[in-house]
Amino acid sequence: MSLTEEILSQLPGDVLGGLRRSDRILSSIREGKVPVPTVVRENQQELGAVDWDVLICGGTLGILIGCALALQGLRVALIERGRLRGRDQEWNISRKELQVFLELSLLTDAELEKAIATEYNPARVGFDNGVEIWVENVLNIGIDPVYLLETLKQKFLAAGGNLFENTPFKEAVVHPDGVTVNNQYKARLLIDAMGHFSPITQQARQGQKPDAVCLVVGSCAQGFPENHTGDLILSFTPIQKQCQYFWEAFPARDGRTTYMFTYMDANPQHIGLETLFEEYLHLMPKYQNVELSQLTFQRVLFGFFPSYRQSPLHTPWSRILPIGDSSGNQSPLSFGGFGAMVRHLHRLTQGIHEALQTDQLSASALALLQPYQPSLSVTWLFQKAMSVRVNQKIAPEQINKLLSAVFRQMQQSGDMVLKPFLQDVVQFPALTQTLLKTSIAHPDIVAKVIPQVGLPALLNWIVHYGNLGIYSALFWLSQRLEPWEKYLPSISQYYWHRWIDAWKYGSGGDYLDCCRGVRM
């Protein structure tokens, strides 16, 4: 019996079966054998009267945007395939990112404090035989999803929202004036919040294989030595099985949560989740200085997150808007989910409201709500630099040495360079400064990256890097023109606001608002 089989057999339910089912899905995606669903079709007949302004499919994160829109007076319905309930595992985020819940009146100060299950400081960033950095107030808050979602659900209902639980999405028909879902629910706009494996997203992508995959395994357990610090990204091993393993750790309300993750392309010869989980268990004693026999596992976690270069996703249909993981609106370095949703919550709430007010619900108009963001696209090169192709030969410590050199330069440049990157925000001045300093201090390490990532990827990155600088300049200019926007007609204002949002988020300009506790 493997360690994985031994540990997972101790937990209630068929956890091992769930792990192996996830592995089979991963294999199907890697082999390009996932059938393309046909769940969206178009009908040129007018729909007539509709019941809601917005229908949201997928409640776990959809309730965030649903509650925000309902509180603005829109008619909103939400369908969820099961019960709308948060998971038991905390969501980690930074405190200032939570300010948006207060600004949109989703939570009171007291409710926000109650939603915080854990808080710790400091957190570590470190790489094998290299730099070790300690930072404060980054992903140091653990949110209780059960309390948060229940609170938002009740506020959603109180604001007139309609919730349909145990109602899986089956199909959508797009009409010129609305959308019908499951031949029953009629709305002006359909929001897809069903996640990475949404059937709407799968149909829109037409069987396209992901360009990269992040595999994650982990657990929450009791029995660790007392430790009130966390790890944001830590590596203590060289490349193994064509993977560089990275670790995260957070204090949790009922133990300590540890994750191990790795980046790779979608080649089917790469290892799967069960093999990664076995590696995780074998390395845990060294990582946390504890024997597995001392631990009492509360739950385990596993999954994979596909990433596509063509993201955020733009669907070919009018009146359908993918958000969150359905849209791929996160960098290939991050897991998306709660953090990415919160980051864009104010922007999406305002933008969707304006789209409905001005009736800008065509495919091209809605695409502006999920714009190209060079701040995300530049991170593709970083992802490739942190992964190894199946038959690629590179030095076992190459990735650790590169990351150690880069993070040392960011540390020396100060928090305004280091902290945004740790929160998945890339900005042109900080990136330029870091690359220049690293290239001067470690030209040999930087030179080895080029053959690792390949010249085409590097040339593609240069385009996004240039656009990052252009977007930074355009966002700065747009702030100077802000007093004149009120003279624009309402439809023109919709487009102008979307361009500003694209420049702002595409340049990482939203991070400054987050730090001040203010969002535009």
Side-chain angles (χ1 to χ4, degrees):
M1 181 181 290
S2 68
L3 267 177
T4 300
E5 291 169 327
E6 180 184 343
I7 297 297
L8 268 55
S9 65
Q10 301 170 14
L11 297 171
D14 185 16
V15 183
L16 183 63
L19 174 64
R20 288 174 173 166
R21 282 192 294 274
S22 296
D23 245 343
R24 287 194 292 271
I25 296 171
L26 174 61
S27 295
S28 298
I29 290 174
R30 284 171 162 173
E31 294 165 5
K33 295 181 179 178
V34 178
V36 178
T38 303
V39 293
V40 180
R41 56 188 178 90
E42 294 177 290
N43 187 322
Q44 297 308 314
Q45 290 185 334
E46 296 284 328
L47 187 58
V50 297
D51 303 307
W52 298 285
D53 297 307
V54 180
L55 176 66
I56 302 171
C57 298
T60 301
L61 292 177
I63 189 63
L64 275 68
I65 190 72
C67 188
L69 293 172
L71 288 171
Q72 293 197 357
L74 294 173
R75 299 172 299 163
V76 185
L78 190 154
I79 66 172
E80 166 60 34
R81 64 181 177 181
R83 284 186 55 228
L84 179 50
R85 182 186 183 277
R87 65 176 192 174
D88 293 322
Q89 185 65 38
E90 286 113 284
W91 285 326
N92 279 86
I93 196 167
S94 303
R95 180 177 282 274
K96 288 182 178 176
E97 293 176 281
L98 297 171
Q99 186 72 18
V100 68
F101 286 95
L102 304 178
E103 293 161 7
L104 293 176
S105 300
L106 295 173
L107 298 174
T108 64
D109 287 292
E111 289 167 338
L112 180 58
E113 290 304 315
K114 190 173 180 181
I116 295 174
T118 54
E119 184 170 5
Y120 75 92
N121 266 316
R124 177 174 55 162
V125 175
F127 305 97
D128 193 30
N129 298 315
V131 70
E132 183 172 284
I133 302 169
W134 292 89
V135 297
E136 294 198 346
N137 303 321
V138 177
L139 299 182
N140 65 310
I141 300 292
I143 291 292
D144 176 2
V146 175
Y147 172 80
L148 176 64
L149 266 59
E150 182 61 28
T151 302
L152 294 178
K153 180 167 75 171
Q154 296 307 320
K155 293 202 173 190
F156 173 72
L157 295 171
N162 294 97
L163 173 63
F164 302 96
E165 296 179 302
N166 301 308
T167 306
F169 169 84
K170 296 177 182 176
E171 63 170 358
V173 181
V174 180
H175 297 263
D177 56 343
V179 184
T180 302
V181 172
N182 294 358
N183 198 31
Q184 181 178 1
Y185 307 102
K186 300 177 182 179
R188 295 176 61 201
L189 173 67
L190 168 61
I191 293 179
D192 175 11
M194 291 183 284
H196 288 294
F197 307 109
S198 156
I200 295 176
T201 295
Q202 289 177 321
Q203 182 177 344
R205 292 206 183 271
Q206 284 295 297
Q208 177 192 358
K209 282 181 64 173
D211 297 289
V213 181
C214 178
L215 271 60
V216 185
V217 296
S219 67
C220 182
Q222 297 175 350
F224 291 100
E226 187 173 354
N227 185 351
H228 300 292
T229 68
D231 291 332
L232 296 180
I233 178 169
L234 186 87
S235 172
F236 59 89
T237 55
I239 294 167
Q240 303 177 30
K241 300 182 184 295
Q242 293 301 93
C243 294
Q244 179 64 66
Y245 300 145
F246 300 103
W247 294 77
E248 285 184 316
F250 304 109
R253 184 168 49 189
D254 49 359
R256 186 170 179 81
T257 300
T258 55
Y259 297 103
M260 189 175 83
F261 60 96
T262 187
Y263 302 109
M264 58 185 67
D265 60 28
N267 190 309
Q269 295 180 49
H270 277 299
I271 66 171
L273 286 167
E274 187 169 353
T275 300
L276 188 66
F277 207 101
E278 189 75 9
E279 292 280 280
Y280 163 80
L281 292 172
H282 278 289
L283 290 169
M284 176 70 80
K286 182 179 179 182
Y287 175 47
Q288 290 289 306
N289 192 28
V290 65
E291 294 299 324
L292 291 181
S293 59
Q294 297 174 246
L295 300 180
T296 302
F297 288 88
Q298 306 298 304
R299 52 188 171 270
V300 299
L301 311 104
F302 46 82
F304 62 93
F305 302 91
S307 297
Y308 299 84
R309 290 187 181 278
Q310 293 181 332
S311 291
L313 174 66
H314 297 155
T315 76
W317 310 291
S318 298
R319 299 184 180 273
I320 294 181
L321 174 67
I323 65 170
D325 292 346
S326 299
S327 68
N329 196 15
Q330 78 281 337
S331 84
L333 298 179
S334 72
F335 305 158
F338 179 65
M341 188 70 183
V342 169
R343 179 182 175 189
H344 295 276
L345 188 57
H346 192 288
R347 177 183 71 80
L348 287 171
T349 300
Q350 183 182 48
I352 292 167
H353 197 181
E354 282 190 68
L356 288 162
Q357 283 182 319
T358 57
D359 203 35
Q360 298 304 297
L361 302 174
S362 67
S364 58
L366 290 176
L368 294 176
L369 286 166
Q370 297 292 15
Y372 160 69
Q373 297 172 55
S375 60
L376 299 183
S377 297
V378 293
T379 60
W380 271 103
L381 191 74
F382 309 152
Q383 193 272 351
K384 287 187 74 68
M386 295 165 72
S387 60
V388 187
R389 295 191 296 275
V390 168
N391 296 314
Q392 191 172 36
K393 305 290 186 183
I394 65 174
E397 287 290 353
Q398 181 167 312
I399 294 174
N400 280 324
K401 287 182 177 179
L402 172 66
L403 292 175
S404 186
V406 169
F407 273 90
R408 182 176 284 110
Q409 297 305 320
M410 286 196 286
Q411 179 192 31
Q412 293 174 359
S413 299
D415 283 352
M416 284 309 295
V417 171
L418 177 63
K419 283 191 173 182
F421 187 82
L422 291 174
Q423 292 175 248
D424 209 27
V425 178
V426 179
Q427 299 168 321
F428 185 76
L431 179 59
T432 302
Q433 181 179 340
T434 300
L435 293 178
L436 283 174
K437 287 185 174 182
T438 306
S439 299
I440 293 170
H442 304 279
D444 55 328
I445 295 176
V446 174
K448 292 177 181 177
V449 174
I450 297 174
Q452 179 189 346
V453 301
L455 188 59
L458 182 61
L459 294 175
N460 182 262
W461 175 84
I462 290 173
V463 174
H464 297 307
Y465 171 71
N467 288 340
L468 183 65
I470 293 170
Y471 271 49
S472 300
L474 288 172
F475 178 52
W476 178 87
L477 180 62
S478 71
Q479 291 177 302
R480 312 281 86 78
L481 299 175
E482 187 176 354
W484 286 274
E485 71 176 48
K486 60 186 177 184
Y487 298 109
L488 295 172
S490 57
I491 292 178
S492 298
Q493 282 192 29
Y494 171 80
Y495 287 92
W496 174 245
H497 291 159
R498 302 295 74 75
W499 291 335
I500 292 176
D501 283 347
W503 300 331
K504 179 178 180 177
Y505 284 77
S507 65
D510 59 302
Y511 181 82
L512 297 176
D513 294 331
C514 175
C515 286
R516 289 193 296 264
V518 176
R519 290 178 184 262
M520 293 176 62

